[in-house]
Amino acid sequence: MGMMRRHVGRSSLRVVVPDFAKSAGTLMVLGADRVVMSDMSELGPIDPQINVAGQWQSVQSYLDAFAAHSETLRTNPDDIAARIMLGKLDPVVLKRCEALLERVRQAAEGLLVSGMFRTGGNWTRTPSELLNTRQWLSHGQTITWEDAGDPHVGLNVEHLDYHSETWQRYWRLYCLQRLAVSDGQKLYESDYVSLILRSGQ
């Protein structure tokens, strides 16, 4: 997103979301001036995930579990269940979770300052809302165009009706691009060329 922002300079940069742009895709949206969405478009929470013992887990959920069991033991030091559960949490993993969460928060704030909120906006509240695992109960939960434009999240959303001519053109282009690209390939486009490369080239 930084390269795109440098390329467009002070011109307007928008991201069109034909189906979904979750997690890192949502982070990219924050670096644009606005996001174009329709009724089928989805963003997602930006809470980072971490692989613990072969399973991907929410960093915030891991930290929440530590906080909950710690609070239980502060209230009742003899609580056996809380003591057992707390013993299952790795201190090294906890530190990694804290660092990852802060890294994502800083990245989101930086993208907003240089992108969507460069002319004003609450660039600290929006990342907190997008990281809120109490609001978005799973990493794959859908954030609709209404959710994204809600004042609590505060993104600059341009909503297009699914049946509008402009959206249908976006949708046809997206479908053609999907058909052109196979597994392991990526599509790079500019204003004068489209190039398909295998990942890693």
Side-chain angles (χ1 to χ4, degrees), residues 103-116:
R103 180 179 176 189
V104 169
R105 185 184 304 280
Q106 289 179 5
E109 291 178 356
L111 286 165
L112 285 167
V113 167
S114 64
M116 197 165 286

Side-chain angles (χ1 to χ4, degrees), residues 32-174:
D33 292 284
R34 69 185 188 277
V35 57
V36 181
M37 301 176 71
S38 188
D39 299 320
M40 66 178 61
S41 305
E42 300 180 12
L43 302 181
I46 60 172
D47 59 312
Q49 307 292 292
I50 190 170
N51 193 311
V52 180
Q55 292 186 332
W56 287 98
Q57 298 181 16
S58 164
V59 160
Q60 185 62 63
S61 295
Y62 202 88
L63 294 171
D64 288 345
F66 175 76
H69 298 315
S70 297
E71 181 58 34
T72 299
L73 283 178
R74 275 192 288 272
T75 305
N76 180 11
D78 297 323
D79 190 304
I80 301 299
R83 193 177 293 276
I84 291 172
M85 294 304 294
L86 200 59
K88 292 178 179 290
L89 300 178
D90 187 336
V92 174
V93 174
L94 282 166
K95 281 296 182 186
R96 283 182 62 203
C97 287
E98 290 172 349
L100 276 170
L101 191 64
E102 186 56 28
R103 180 179 176 189
V104 169
R105 185 184 304 280
Q106 289 179 5
E109 291 178 356
L111 286 165
L112 285 167
V113 167
S114 64
M116 197 165 286
F117 292 171
R118 62 179 171 152
T119 59
N122 196 329
W123 48 268
T124 56
R125 182 181 65 193
T126 295
S128 294
E129 289 295 325
L130 293 173
L131 286 164
N132 187 350
T133 53
R134 291 175 179 83
Q135 172 71 22
W136 320 109
L137 300 179
S138 73
H139 189 64
Q141 186 166 342
T142 296
I143 296 177
T144 65
W145 69 268
E146 295 101 330
D147 297 327
D150 182 275
H152 286 94
V153 178
L155 297 186
N156 185 7
V157 178
E158 178 185 343
H159 174 253
L160 293 180
D161 183 87
Y162 173 75
H163 298 288
S164 70
E165 182 182 353
T166 301
W167 184 261
Q168 286 300 311
R169 287 180 176 180
Y170 284 142
W171 182 250
R172 285 194 293 272
L173 175 61
Y174 170 69

Side-chain angles (χ1 to χ4, degrees), residues 3-15:
M3 285 195 312
M4 284 189 280
R5 174 56 69 187
R6 286 191 293 274
H7 179 71
V8 301
R10 301 194 63 79
S11 300
S12 179
L13 175 62
R14 60 185 176 158
V15 170

